[in-house]
Amino acid sequence: NAGVTQTPKFRVLKTGQSMTLLCAQDMNHEYMYWYRQDPGMGLRLIHYSVGEGTTAKGEVPDGYNVSRLKKQNFLLGLESAAPSQTSVYFCASSRGQLNEKLFFGSGTQLSVL
Amino acid sequence: RKEVEQDPGPFNVPEGATVAFNCTYSNSASQSFFWYRQDCRKEPKLLMSVYSSGNEDGRFTAQLNRASQYISLLIRDSKLSDSATYLCVSFRGGNNRKLIWGLGTSLAVNP
């Protein structure tokens, strides 16, 4: 049982490049989330989805886009990467409510030069 | 002031010690709470959920004090493997429902 799988684990981008982070869960969860974690800032919600075909903005959505075309996948896109987007990104999922256990992926370390 | 605040530590304790962390929250709309454990450079993992006054799971006990707006995590008989950062999370209900994450408390258990 894989749980939540994120790819890639590491990536280095140049300013202005684009990329997509992939998240897949095999637990049939309704809710999926993208967080970023920075020193001194804690976990901050970028975007989330409450079901297939839906997305919503979190606390820090600017510079990111997401899609949830299939229930098991949640994609995070950076159209034009900036150094301020250097961070560790975590995908997570939960069964059906915000106040339930979150299952996290192992994270993506992204550096934007 | 942050909505969820934790002492960043680090807490350095010997093996076998009992250690307690507090987490304070400022929003009375907070309905439930969670403690997550995060190892260095790894993903957070749920340690305990608190939906009422408290919860206990083996060596770990969480207690909620709504009057004083804090939640504590007590770890008894500390193990080397308990060394990690412990994240306090509150679920804020109402019209603007969201999870509020603390910055974490670092624990180092020493042999």
Side-chain angles (χ1 to χ4, degrees):
Chain A
N1 192 348
V4 179
T5 304
Q6 281 181 242
T7 54
K9 293 191 183 302
F10 303 94
R11 187 72 186 268
V12 179
L13 292 178
K14 293 181 180 177
T15 297
Q17 287 184 318
S18 64
M19 77 163 295
T20 300
L21 279 66
L22 309 178
C23 179
Q25 53 95 4
D26 61 3
M27 296 172 283
N28 201 35
H29 284 172
E30 290 294 334
Y31 282 42
M32 295 187 74
Y33 316 79
W34 276 107
Y35 282 92
R36 61 178 289 174
Q37 188 174 35
D38 303 287
M41 302 294 290
L43 277 159
R44 292 182 292 170
L45 184 64
I46 305 171
H47 286 281
Y48 66 101
S49 167
V50 300
E52 180 179 314
T54 74
T55 63
K57 294 181 180 179
E59 305 165 60
V60 289
D62 293 343
Y64 305 95
N65 56 76
V66 288
S67 65
R68 182 110 181 257
L69 299 179
K70 294 183 178 181
K71 186 177 183 179
Q72 64 267 33
N73 297 333
F74 195 30
L75 278 59
L76 178 71
L78 285 73
E79 290 186 345
S80 180
S84 61
Q85 294 177 305
T86 293
S87 186
V88 178
Y89 292 84
F90 288 105
C91 175
S93 70
S94 64
R95 189 174 56 182
Q97 298 289 338
L98 275 178
N99 63 339
E100 290 187 353
K101 176 181 179 178
L102 294 185
F103 294 78
F104 283 85
S106 57
T108 297
Q109 174 69 62
L110 174 67
S111 295
V112 183
L113 306 177
Chain B
R1 182 186 174 190
K2 291 188 182 297
E3 197 166 331
V4 172
E5 291 201 86
Q6 297 182 250
D7 181 343
F11 285 66
N12 285 284
V13 302
E15 252 185 307
T18 295
V19 61
F21 315 132
N22 272 352
C23 166
T24 59
Y25 62 95
S26 59
N27 195 319
S28 58
S30 296
Q31 296 180 350
S32 51
F33 301 85
F34 308 87
W35 283 101
Y36 280 77
R37 170 201 169 117
Q38 185 172 27
D39 294 298
C40 187
R41 300 182 184 278
K42 297 285 185 67
E43 72 274 21
K45 293 183 178 178
L46 182 67
L47 180 66
M48 192 168 292
S49 306
V50 182
Y51 294 102
S52 57
S53 60
N55 198 357
E56 184 172 334
D57 184 5
R59 298 182 294 110
F60 299 86
T61 301
Q63 291 212 310
L64 173 61
N65 185 320
R66 288 196 186 274
S68 301
Q69 295 192 186
Y70 74 87
I71 182 166
S72 63
L73 177 67
L74 180 78
I75 304 175
R76 290 179 295 276
D77 188 22
S78 299
K79 312 291 185 190
L80 295 177
S81 57
D82 293 334
S83 297
T85 296
Y86 291 83
L87 304 173
C88 173
V89 189
S90 81
F91 170 69
R92 185 178 74 199
N95 292 331
N96 189 14
R97 302 185 313 149
K98 64 185 298 186
L99 290 175
I100 314 294
W101 292 78
L103 297 185
T105 296
S106 175
L107 171 66
V109 181
N110 304 307

